[in-house]
Amino acid sequence: NTGETTDTFAFTLTGLPSGWSATAPTQSLAAGTTGTATVQLTVPGNTATGNYTLQATGTSTTDGTVTTSSPITVRVLKRSTTLVYGGSTTADYSDPASLSAVLTDTATGQPIGGKQIHFALGTQSTSPDPTTDVTGTASGSITITQASGAVSVDSSFAGDGTYLASNDSDGFT
């Protein structure tokens, strides 16, 4: 506040893309003092990755001509995922092996539904790939047609516009 009296300032972010939102906090400052305002920005989960330039503005609530603004860059990144295999680790020749894996958002631990998970068991794989449900679980099966032995069962999520790819590999007999 470069003024001569205490004043209250409202802070906003402008230039928000469609679907984005931000809080508009106010802060009182004594004359000749500085302060920091925290503006909470909410970005939809389906926002494309990249850099977005917004305007941060502070305006006096008593005199709208007293204002300052500055550009800020917001970098939107893909979210990390965790995939954990939880299906069978053994099966006999000509029997189906039950395959399942759970996909979660690494930061929040929340399940991610509606995503395809690919399973590969030795030389065989799922087709079509099963999709995660509301609990983040994808389930499928493969009828074993390969020679007995130790192989791996691999589960993988390819990633998309919001989430990074992830995978898990486990032993299978």
Side-chain angles (χ1 to χ4, degrees), residues 16 23 31 58 80 89 96 103 109 114 125 138 150 156-158 163 167:
L16 300 175
T23 61
S80 294
T89 56
L103 182 67
S125 62
S156 59
F157 167 59
Y163 294 101
N167 57 61

Side-chain angles (χ1 to χ4, degrees), residues 30-59:
T33 62
T34 61
T36 301
T38 301
V39 176
Q40 178 72 41
L41 177 64
T42 302
V43 178
N46 62 351
T47 299
T49 59
N51 293 330
Y52 296 81
T53 301
L54 309 176
Q55 282 294 117
T57 304
T59 304

Side-chain angles (χ1 to χ4, degrees), residues 5-86:
T5 63
T6 296
D7 199 353
T8 301
F9 296 86
F11 298 92
T12 60
L13 289 177
T14 58
L16 300 175
S18 178
W20 291 33
S21 63
T23 61
T26 59
Q27 185 175 28
S28 291
L29 296 172
T33 62
T34 61
T36 301
T38 301
V39 176
Q40 178 72 41
L41 177 64
T42 302
V43 178
N46 62 351
T47 299
T49 59
N51 293 330
Y52 296 81
T53 301
L54 309 176
Q55 282 294 117
T57 304
T59 304
S60 166
T61 60
T62 58
D63 181 354
T65 64
V66 177
T67 186
T68 186
S69 66
S70 179
I72 64 167
T73 300
V74 175
R75 179 178 226 175
V76 175
L77 304 172
K78 290 184 180 185
R79 296 183 64 88
S80 294
T81 60
T82 301
L83 186 63
V84 177
Y85 180 75

Side-chain angles (χ1 to χ4, degrees), residues 116-119 125-131:
Q116 286 191 322
I117 305 299
H118 181 74
F119 292 98
S125 62
T126 52
S127 181
D129 291 332
T131 301

Side-chain angles (χ1 to χ4, degrees), residues 83-173:
L83 186 63
V84 177
Y85 180 75
S88 299
T89 56
T90 62
D92 291 330
Y93 180 84
S94 79
D95 287 347
S98 296
L99 312 173
S100 69
V102 176
L103 182 67
T104 57
D105 182 306
T106 303
T108 66
Q110 293 298 307
I112 304 171
K115 306 300 179 186
Q116 286 191 322
I117 305 299
H118 181 74
F119 292 98
L121 174 57
T123 60
Q124 297 175 260
S125 62
T126 52
S127 181
D129 291 332
T131 301
T132 57
D133 60 18
V134 296
T135 69
T137 304
S139 300
S141 68
I142 293 176
T143 300
I144 306 298
T145 61
Q146 53 198 298
S148 64
V151 295
S152 66
V153 57
D154 302 315
S155 50
S156 59
F157 167 59
D160 61 17
T162 302
Y163 294 101
L164 292 170
S166 59
N167 57 61
D168 190 12
S169 184
D170 295 88
F172 191 94
T173 305

